[in-house]
Amino acid sequence: MRYALVLIDLPVGSLRAPFHYRVPEEMEGRVRFGVRVVVPLSRRSVPGFIVGFDDHAPTPDVLPITDVVSPDSLFDEEIWELAQWVAEHYLATPQEALRCAIPSDALAHLRRWVVRGAEPLDASMLSATERALLGALGPQGADEEDLVAAIGRGAVRRALARMQAAGWVHVRTQVRPPAISPRREVLLRLAVPPEAAWEAVDRYRLHAPQRARILRMLAEAGEAPRAAVLRGGGGALRALLREGLVEEVRVEAVRDPLRGTYRDTSVPAELTAEQREALDAVLDALDNSRHEVFLLHGVTGSGKTEVYLRAVGSAIQRGRRALVLVPEIALTPQTVARFAGRFGERVAVLHSRLSAGERYDTWWRIRRGDYDVVVGPRSAVFAPLADIGLVVVDEEHEGAYKQTNAPRYHARDVALERSRRRGVPVLLGSATPSVESLWRAQQGSWRWLRLRSRVAARPLPAIRITDMRREDGRSVFGRALIEAMRARIASGDQVLLYLNRRGYASALVCRECGHVPRCHGCGVALTYHLATRALRCHYCGRVLPAPSACPSCRGIHLRPFGPGTQRVEEEVRRLFPGVDVARADRDTMSRRGAHQRLMDDLRQRRVQVLVGTQMIAKGLDLPGVGLVGVVAADVALSLPDFRAGERALQQLVQVAGRAGRGESPGEVIIQTYQPKHPAVLAACGDDMAFFEEEIAARRALRYPPFSSLIQLIVSARALADARTAARSLADSLAAAEILGPSPAPLSRLRGWYRWQIVARGQDAQALRDAVRQGLAAWRRPPGVRIAIDVDPVEML
Ligand code: ADP
Ligand code: ZN
């Protein structure tokens, strides 16, 4: 007797472990690893996945599998093991993790099908709803969801319960086929040798020109889609089919994922010495099938992408495959174009413009082994690519790699785990690596590969700092930025003015000395709450009255910081009347097509000055931008997050990169009240000094990489409920070191009040265990939600 281990696919936290089910003989051939099945569970039929087999059953009364949804295996052991790791590491369920690895369209769903049973003796026994329900049942019955859509969920549920009990209707669980299946296409082809076809073309030319045209087309092209041929006349085609000159073939239509993708086929002749050295290190690991982590650290334009391309090419030459992760496909068009250009048909690009059908096709083709390279965003880390020999993670520091709902995985860290399990090298690249990654590289647990010089001749933009403490404060712009804007506007260059968005209260900054009040225990900037005139630490919850004078210089101009985009726009109009200004923030960009319109206006120079938030920092590639002004670096520097400095540096480098992408060298001006802040200095070039200082602070305050963090956000519709629930959760987490509970910086989001708890531990595994036990012991009040974020990246 053979038993299958079935992971029930329901969103119920208590069904984490697979159950044994008997494999009926008639299903032997179809019940394979990774197949979706229907099994009985507490007298219901529920979907599940086969995740293993056993010769023995734990109990004698094991039930049989009811049905095999489709004989296609959706995942292999490698993906299942990775999903289990993700579930364990991120305190999620294996179901949640597995669903990241399977496109939802590939999952056939179950439906509840309602059919008529015995006729009620008397129609007056039926309520109005029940009569409506019976009326809606066709002779074959109806899908319960369709009834719900027509009548309402509660009403249908109550009516069905009573009618089932009376025997008037029966409800059966059935398999509904996948929403999308591979598209079939009918091609036409010559059924005779080409010479015979050409003879027929001559014969038909006069009296049957349509037939001649179709034959000529097929003789020239070999084959053509029927739909295209039909446009020329169905009668002629039918005649040709009848005469046996043409035949139909059914094929699986390929929805080409690279369709419309721009390809860059340039290949530099020779690598620089630094590139060569980096590539050789990776190839050595590749040749010896050795898991090793490489951190490729080099400024933009230093040739990192070329190293990825060569390493991937070498992996393919050795008969292996490669997985390439990029933060966001839409924002990295050049990178994608170069992969598409270098590897052509062999590369699948999982971009967001794919239709559901294209995504589904591509996923299956990857699973079948049609591609050697997969390029995609964070979810691609679960791509069903077999024989991976190399994993590449571009821009490893990017926050976009973190998933924002459960399981809240970090694609870089999952990539590290996947390559570790496979025993293959992983190549992480960045111009501004995360502090944690740099630490591992510096400690020697990872291999640090530096590209110190730029390949292309284009110089980095010149960066200047304006010390806002020395300005008179009448304008949001300092004198240097006003002068630079005046010069650029006169010469016809475009100007980008960058501001950091905030969705919550901001910190105070002293306009005289640049001091920002911080929490003594947590090191993070305190946020200022105008209503209560209080300063609050969002980590530990400490609340202090706002000082009237600066604790550092006794100055009296201690104010919340950060002008809004609107204020900046008005200021530009006031200083430069008549200049074309546009604003890009969440208000102006929410309308459909607004982004595209703005891009067109910028490209055609209908906009000369653009004021924008983070939204425009990435991916903007405009040759006309000669000047970038960072209006207030202080906002980023004083976010209530221990990574504020690191994040500010990454943003500064990113926006600075928007300048001088054309012929003329660009210019960047950073305005700040903290001109000596290490992150600001690092943006001008000295990034290792920043790193040393940051590492010292993290060590002193015990933040990663010197500890692990788990953030728990408790939310409720009423403030008191959120607070009470957070406090009771904090009590039951007593086994871990706890910061908080306190209101989250985004204290209210879409009508939910949010409280946060940060659990911290020296040992990641012990911390996870403590939090898991605390959660299990906690009784979650009704109406309260909880979100668990292991290794949080953005703590808002
Ligand atoms: P990064 O990924 O670090 O920004 P790229 O790999 O994109 O750098 O290289 C920047 C530019 O230099 C690209 O146009 C690339 O084609 C070119 N390039 C890269 N390596 C070389 C090389 N060895 N010789 C000449 N040009 C190169
Ligand atoms: Zn604190």
Side-chain angles (χ1 to χ4, degrees), residues 689-720:
F690 165 76
F691 169 73
E692 296 299 344
E693 199 155 322
E694 184 69 21
I695 272 293
R698 301 253 181 122
R699 196 196 306 268
L701 294 161
R702 289 186 304 119
Y703 285 122
F706 303 101
S707 69
S708 283
L709 302 179
I710 298 179
Q711 182 199 34
L712 300 111
I713 295 225
V714 172
S715 48
R717 290 282 181 191
L719 174 59

Side-chain angles (χ1 to χ4, degrees), residues 518-524 526 536-542 703 739-740:
R518 292 177 178 271
C519 174
H520 291 301
C522 308
V524 299
L526 298 164
R536 184 188 280 280
C537 170
H538 286 285
Y539 278 20
C540 70
R542 187 176 315 202
Y703 285 122
L739 300 180

Side-chain angles (χ1 to χ4, degrees), residues 148-413:
V148 165
I151 300 170
R153 188 168 299 277
V156 165
R157 189 166 296 160
R158 282 188 297 274
L160 280 183
R162 197 169 93 96
M163 293 166 80
Q164 264 184 290
W168 300 332
V169 296
H170 303 295
V171 182
R172 303 200 179 107
T173 302
Q174 293 181 339
V175 173
R176 184 174 61 193
I180 295 167
S181 46
R183 193 171 60 181
R184 311 259 168 218
E185 188 175 48
V186 181
L187 291 182
L188 296 173
R189 215 179 256 173
L190 290 178
V192 293
E195 308 83 63
W198 285 116
E199 276 170 29
V201 170
D202 284 337
R203 219 165 44 239
Y204 288 147
R205 197 187 324 256
L206 290 176
H207 77 277
Q210 289 290 13
R211 276 186 251 180
R213 194 190 55 82
I214 294 171
L215 279 175
R216 189 180 309 119
M217 182 164 130
L218 294 178
E220 278 167 1
E223 60 185 30
R226 184 171 64 177
V229 174
L230 271 180
R231 263 174 251 136
L237 176 59
R238 276 194 296 279
L240 289 171
L241 288 166
R242 206 165 46 233
E243 290 169 80
L245 290 169
V246 170
E247 65 186 5
E248 287 182 342
V249 268
R250 258 160 232 285
V251 295
E252 202 169 292
V254 173
R255 287 171 274 214
D256 177 11
L258 283 181
R259 195 194 54 223
T261 308
Y262 153 69
R263 296 172 195 225
D264 178 350
T265 50
S266 61
V267 183
E270 261 183 88
L271 294 182
T272 64
E274 285 180 331
Q275 283 176 317
R276 181 83 256 159
E277 208 175 305
L279 181 63
D280 285 345
V282 178
L283 294 191
D284 184 61
L286 191 67
D287 281 335
N288 295 299
S289 296
R290 183 175 70 237
H291 169 67
E292 192 170 351
V293 186
F294 297 95
L295 181 64
L296 189 59
H297 179 190
V299 293
T300 314
S302 59
K304 297 185 296 295
T305 309
E306 189 55 38
V307 175
Y308 308 151
L309 287 162
R310 303 268 176 142
V312 167
S314 304
I316 296 175
Q317 267 170 19
R318 287 156 176 78
R320 313 291 289 278
R321 296 195 166 100
L323 184 59
V324 180
L325 301 182
V326 293
E328 271 166 89
I329 292 275
L331 298 177
T332 45
Q334 288 95 338
T335 306
V336 173
R338 283 165 72 190
F339 274 92
R342 196 73 59 97
F343 303 109
E345 311 275 271
R346 311 304 307 147
V347 53
V349 178
L350 298 168
H351 54 73
S352 57
R353 281 180 294 117
L354 292 181
S355 68
E358 286 167 334
R359 199 181 311 272
Y360 176 80
D361 283 3
T362 307
W363 188 87
W364 271 115
R365 296 187 69 205
I366 296 169
R367 175 106 176 86
R368 281 201 314 239
D370 289 359
Y371 297 109
D372 290 329
V373 186
V374 171
V375 180
R378 64 166 179 257
S379 58
V381 75
F382 296 103
L385 192 65
D387 275 328
I388 290 180
L390 173 70
V391 180
V392 174
V393 183
D394 189 23
E395 312 279 3
E396 67 86 26
H397 64 277
E398 269 289 340
Y401 283 125
K402 184 79 166 162
Q403 168 100 341
T404 50
N405 45 8
R408 292 178 177 77
Y409 66 86
H410 196 300
R412 175 200 58 214
D413 297 339

